Amino acid sequence: KPIAMAARDAQLAKPPAADGSSSRKRKAFAGSPPAAGSISYAQLWWYRDNHGVDQGPFDTATMRGWFVGGCLPAETPLAASYYGEVPQEMWVASELWEHPQEEAFVMASDAVSAPQIEPPQPDFIESQHFEGGKVGFVFKHDIFGCGYYKDEAAHKKIEVTLESILAEKAERRGREA
């Protein structure tokens, strides 16, 4: 081996110092990669799991909790998603933030939060006994069994027009005749 390569290999093989620091110097942080976008304004994030599968999108607060809680290791590939799109490129936390423990997944103070979307109501809630009325549901025994079924009549838009009134009148006259 050339002497320069042997010296480099010896340096890389050196164990960390007793205080946990490494003799290898990290490159000076020059900011997050331009392709990552304005990460302090990203409301959605993706990560690549241990099996190489991209997971997401997840909101910033969830990602922050996982990261600080140690569930999302610093070596995990990450990428911001601004519209829910699947990112083409990912980076580890040290490439996105100078001080990941303090800065990772922290939104800018002037960032606008995305509106929270209500999850859709189920079509059926199983219940063997009537437990009182539930808005938007009727209690009955039907194809799924006994329980609360989405009240389809309550969700239908009723539109009254002059034409519909005249058609209804004509239908009544036809039945009466």
Side-chain angles (χ1 to χ4, degrees):
K1 272 187 183 178
I3 295 174
M5 286 181 72
R8 185 200 68 192
D9 290 348
Q11 182 69 20
L12 291 175
K14 248 188 195 178
D19 65 358
S21 65
S22 172
S23 58
R24 287 185 277 167
K25 298 282 185 203
R26 181 177 149 199
K27 290 181 187 174
F29 186 76
S32 59
S38 299
I39 59 174
S40 60
Y41 291 90
Q43 296 181 22
L44 301 170
W45 288 85
W46 288 73
Y47 72 91
R48 186 164 294 134
D49 68 19
N50 295 339
H51 303 287
V53 178
D54 293 346
Q55 303 286 342
F58 297 100
D59 65 271
T60 302
T62 298
M63 294 291 283
R64 175 84 183 146
W66 289 343
F67 189 77
V68 171
C71 298
L72 198 61
E75 309 80 42
T76 304
L78 309 163
S81 175
Y82 298 92
Y83 303 101
E85 75 281 5
V86 179
Q88 298 299 309
E89 192 174 354
M90 293 194 176
W91 303 269
V92 295
S94 62
E95 294 174 302
L96 297 171
W97 299 281
E98 185 171 12
H99 306 288
Q101 275 308 114
E102 295 86 37
E103 300 168 352
F105 310 109
V106 175
M107 292 185 68
S109 60
D110 61 339
V112 179
S113 295
Q116 295 299 314
I117 299 171
E118 286 288 323
Q121 286 188 327
D123 291 333
F124 172 72
I125 303 169
E126 185 177 1
S127 178
Q128 296 305 313
H129 306 285
F130 181 73
E131 299 169 1
K134 295 187 185 294
V135 177
F137 289 87
V138 294
F139 184 81
K140 63 183 179 178
H141 190 278
D142 210 332
I143 60 172
F144 295 120
C146 193
Y148 293 88
Y149 287 78
K150 191 181 277 186
D151 186 1
E152 296 300 328
H155 298 291
K156 288 183 181 175
K157 183 178 178 184
I158 299 173
E159 187 175 347
V160 179
T161 63
L162 179 58
E163 292 81 21
S164 67
I165 293 171
L166 294 174
E168 189 176 331
K169 275 186 178 181
E171 185 182 330
R172 272 196 209 143
R173 285 188 194 131
R175 281 186 274 164
E176 292 172 357

